[in-house]
């Protein structure tokens, strides 16, 4: 049913024929306005695509979110935001304008993206940086079609006066990090990042990697840390859709990044990534069909960030099975933990299941995965904020007890790194806390009695 609704939305949006192709970059002006592709990739690797999903296009500004995430991962948030702000600019994406501190407002506009390029692997040559960036794209996209359009790169260089002006403005304000003196090389690398090529199917996997907390859903490889992804999605939500970002956050409520080649990366955290491609743009620079698809999506499904507050909103949640009972969910989660099926576990958690549900013996999925020595399942569960690493089963045993009992040394070591304890220690600690609490209550009663007597 979900696929059929996506199919209907695809054909509905295809009927929109308004919008203009970007012409300020000559190579982009040659795009076919009839192209329209949609691709979806869930965090457990399920995929569906419609239309021109295999037509390659340049990422343009869609790449800003990806390069920002990669530099965050490599250099750290403190260093990156020493040079770049985190606020919407309120101006056009290529405006000759910095914030009151002489820094770009955010990494999703041209000035910020140019500075991100200066911060990426400063010890490398231009060729080495491009090779490194291409490799990271392939890791995030599971080696899907990642390319480079040299014609667009050359076309960008020929029409780069405004970007050069931005570079000189930032140099005048001493916005660049020390040692970043070759502005021409920095700009060339920025143009290269914009000229990276994907198709909608590869773009969907890139977006799904962000939706999955930095883990590629097709390869299970961890490319980015959850913290880097969190920062990236926050800025995509507030700054990712050019001058329409505020309205988009209001209407759609999902992180997204658009580009003037007609691409849109849409991220539904813990659910899926979607890539949309259609070259005709509105007056803000966003794909007309892509924008309409995003709006239609949250009309059908409860994917808006705050839909959970609308108890009777009526939108369908495709993550929930209509006839599933609590017992069904518990059995399914425990079975996947026993088999080491981390993909299924991700699907259940993404469907809204509490990862701390327990069976009749009060054993959680973490107990079972630790007993079976399933490292990936344990790692996934430990990455979730709701998981209690020291939960006790009915025999007062923890996941660490199970890992040690079955000689799963690596799992036991990982659990200890997350402050896991043996059951006997947890029980002793609980008893001590209870005694302390009771003593405190008793002392409070005595103080209250003394006060009344006096």
């Amino acid at each position: 049913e979900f696929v059929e609704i996506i199919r209907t939305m695809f054909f509905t949006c295809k009927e929109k024929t308004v919008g203009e192709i970007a012409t300020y970059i000559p190579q982009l002006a040659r795009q076919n306005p009839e192209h329209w592709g949609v691709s979806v990739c869930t965090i457990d690797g399920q995929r569906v695509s419609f239309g021109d999903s295999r037509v390659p296009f340049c990422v343009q500004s869609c790449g800003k979110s990806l390069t920002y995430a990669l530099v965050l991962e490599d250099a750290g948030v403190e260093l990156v935001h020493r040079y770049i702000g985190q606020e919407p600019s309120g101006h056009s994406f290529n405006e000759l304008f910095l914030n009151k501190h002489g820094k770009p407002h955010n990494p999703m506009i041209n000035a910020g993206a140019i500075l991100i390029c200066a911060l990426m692997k400063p010890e490398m040559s231009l060729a080495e940086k491009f090779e490194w960036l291409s490799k990271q794209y392939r890791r995030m996209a599971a080696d899907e079609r990642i390319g480079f359009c040299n014609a667009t790169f050359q076309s960008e260089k020929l029409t780069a006066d405004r970007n050069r002006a931005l570079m000189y403005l930032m140099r005048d304000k001493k916005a660049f990090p020390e040692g970043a003196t070759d502005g021409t090389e920095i700009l060339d690398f920025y143009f290269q990042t914009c000229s990276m090529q994907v198709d909608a199917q590869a773009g969907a996997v890139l977006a799904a990697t962000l939706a999955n907390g930095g883990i590629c859903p097709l390869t299970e490889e961890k490319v980015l840390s959850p913290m880097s992804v969190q920062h990236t999605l926050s800025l995509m939500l507030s700054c990712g859709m050019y001058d329409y970002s505020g309205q988009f956050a209001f209407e759609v409520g999902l992180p997204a990044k658009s580009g003037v080649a007609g691409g849109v990366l849409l991220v539904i955290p813990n659910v899926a990534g979607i890539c949309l491609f259609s070259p005709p743009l509105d007056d803000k620079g966003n794909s007309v069909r892509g924008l309409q698809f995003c709006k239609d999506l949250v009309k059908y499904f409860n994917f808006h960030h705050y839909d959970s507050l609308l108890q009777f909103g009526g939108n369908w949640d495709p993550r929930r099975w209509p006839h599933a009972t609590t017992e069904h969910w518990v059995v399914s989660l425990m079975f996947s933990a026993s088999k080491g099926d981390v993909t299924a576990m991700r699907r259940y958690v993404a469907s809204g299941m509490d990862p701390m549900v327990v069976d009749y013996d009060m054993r959680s999925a973490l107990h079972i995965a630790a007993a079976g020595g399933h490292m990936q399942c344990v790692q996934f569960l430990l990455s979730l904020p709701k998981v209690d690493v020291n939960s006790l089963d009915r025999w007062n045993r923890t996941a660490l007890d199970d890992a040690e009992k079955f000689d799963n040394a690596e799992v036991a070591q990982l659990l200890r790194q997350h402050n896991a304890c043996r059951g006997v220690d947890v029980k002793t600690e609980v008893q001590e806390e209870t005694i302390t609490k009771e003593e405190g209550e008793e002392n409070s009663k005595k103080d209250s009695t003394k006060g009344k007597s006096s």
Side-chain angles (χ1 to χ4, degrees):
E1 188 175 353
F2 174 80
V3 172
E4 288 306 310
I5 292 175
I6 295 295
R7 187 195 308 274
T8 299
M9 290 167 52
F10 168 80
F11 284 109
T12 300
C13 294
K14 187 175 183 179
E15 296 175 1
K16 294 187 76 70
T17 57
V18 296
E20 301 291 334
I21 292 178
T23 58
Y24 70 95
I25 300 174
Q27 190 63 24
L28 297 184
R30 298 186 174 95
Q31 293 186 112
N32 184 349
E34 299 300 319
H35 281 154
W36 170 225
V38 173
S39 186
V40 182
C41 178
T42 66
I43 63 168
D44 62 342
Q46 300 180 72
R47 306 175 70 180
V48 64
S49 301
F50 298 100
D52 301 310
S53 64
R54 280 302 189 188
V55 173
F57 62 93
C58 288
V59 296
Q60 291 297 318
S61 288
C62 291
K64 290 181 171 71
S65 56
L66 305 174
T67 53
Y68 170 67
L70 291 168
V71 173
L72 270 187
E73 186 72 12
D74 184 61
V77 65
E78 191 279 328
L79 176 65
V80 170
H81 287 290
R82 191 186 306 167
Y83 298 98
I84 304 170
Q86 298 141 315
E87 298 289 338
S89 70
H91 295 268
S92 175
F93 66 93
N94 60 357
E95 190 81 14
L96 298 175
F97 189 74
L98 302 176
N99 67 17
K100 63 180 181 181
H101 303 293
K103 301 191 298 185
H105 285 80
N106 64 73
M108 303 296 160
I109 56 177
N110 287 18
I114 291 169
L115 228 163
I116 283 289
C117 290
L119 292 169
M120 182 182 286
K121 296 290 185 183
E123 73 280 4
M124 289 185 176
S125 68
L126 181 60
E128 290 171 334
K129 285 205 285 189
F130 178 74
E131 184 177 7
W132 181 83
L133 179 66
S134 300
K135 180 180 178 181
Q136 304 314 307
Y137 263 70
R138 287 193 293 271
R139 290 176 66 202
M140 284 191 284
D143 283 324
E144 284 279 343
R145 298 182 181 183
I146 303 295
F148 176 74
C149 181
N150 187 59
T152 301
F153 170 63
Q154 298 297 336
S155 190
E156 291 241 22
K157 289 178 67 175
L158 290 173
T159 56
D161 290 346
R162 183 168 287 269
N163 286 318
R164 290 190 181 93
L166 275 171
M167 183 269 292
Y168 285 120
L169 174 63
M170 290 190 288
R171 178 184 285 180
D172 178 64
K173 297 294 184 181
K174 296 181 171 51
F176 285 106
E178 186 177 347
T181 57
D182 192 339
T184 300
E185 183 174 290
I186 293 170
L187 278 180
D188 278 353
F189 184 55
Y190 168 68
F191 299 144
Q192 286 180 326
T193 66
C194 294
S195 303
M196 297 288 290
Q197 255 186 350
V198 299
D199 56 27
Q201 293 192 30
V205 182
L206 290 168
T209 297
L210 296 178
N212 200 28
I215 298 173
C216 177
L218 302 187
T219 63
E220 302 291 345
E221 180 184 5
K222 182 178 180 180
V223 185
L224 300 165
S225 69
M227 189 59 69
S228 296
V229 174
Q230 181 192 72
H231 294 320
T232 301
L233 297 184
S234 296
L235 289 180
M236 288 174 70
L237 179 64
S238 62
C239 312
M241 298 295 285
Y242 300 131
D243 294 346
Y244 195 75
S245 296
Q247 189 73 16
F248 189 87
F250 183 83
E251 295 183 358
V252 179
L254 290 170
K257 188 71 192 84
S258 63
V260 294
V264 178
L265 297 182
L266 182 70
V267 178
I268 310 171
N270 295 314
V271 179
I274 299 177
C275 183
L276 313 162
F277 169 57
S278 177
L281 312 176
D282 61 17
D283 59 348
K284 306 293 186 184
N286 298 310
S287 169
V288 173
R289 293 188 182 111
L291 188 59
Q292 186 62 52
F293 185 95
C294 294
K295 292 179 180 179
D296 290 347
L297 187 74
V298 294
K299 289 179 182 177
Y300 281 105
F301 306 111
N302 70 337
F303 288 153
H304 189 290
H305 195 59
Y306 299 113
D307 269 348
S308 59
L309 301 176
L310 305 177
Q311 297 181 15
F312 305 103
N315 286 3
W316 178 43
D317 186 350
R319 296 164 289 184
R320 295 189 179 277
W321 298 353
H323 306 297
T325 62
T326 301
E327 292 77 12
H328 170 85
W329 284 117
V330 173
V331 170
S332 298
L333 182 65
M334 299 307 169
F335 183 77
S336 62
S338 69
K339 295 298 182 182
D341 189 352
V342 70
T343 299
M345 293 182 73
R346 284 201 179 94
R347 182 165 62 248
Y348 298 140
V349 173
S351 300
M353 187 176 185
D354 182 358
M356 283 305 294
V357 294
V358 295
D359 62 14
Y360 50 85
D361 287 324
M362 301 300 292
R363 289 167 61 75
S364 68
L366 186 60
H367 283 91
I368 295 173
H374 301 303
M375 178 65 85
Q376 283 189 324
C377 291
V378 174
Q379 288 174 328
F380 168 66
L381 290 167
L382 291 176
S383 71
L384 302 174
K386 291 184 178 181
V387 169
D388 179 6
V389 71
N390 288 319
S391 65
L392 297 171
D393 62 17
R394 71 169 174 143
W395 298 284
N396 291 320
R397 298 175 62 84
T398 65
L400 179 59
D401 290 316
D402 286 343
E404 291 179 340
K405 179 181 178 180
F406 294 99
D407 297 323
N408 297 319
E410 290 186 8
V411 171
Q413 182 180 2
L414 177 64
L415 288 166
R416 290 192 197 96
Q417 292 172 359
H418 286 77
N419 302 316
C421 302
R422 295 185 178 91
V424 62
D425 297 326
V426 174
K427 188 177 180 182
T428 301
E429 184 179 336
V430 170
Q431 289 172 341
E432 290 175 350
E433 289 178 356
T434 302
I435 292 171
T436 302
K437 182 179 179 181
E438 290 174 350
E439 289 176 346
E441 291 175 351
E442 186 65 30
N443 290 335
S444 296
K445 290 178 181 179
K446 289 180 180 179
D447 292 341
S448 176
T449 304
K450 288 179 181 179
K452 291 178 180 179
S453 299
S454 60

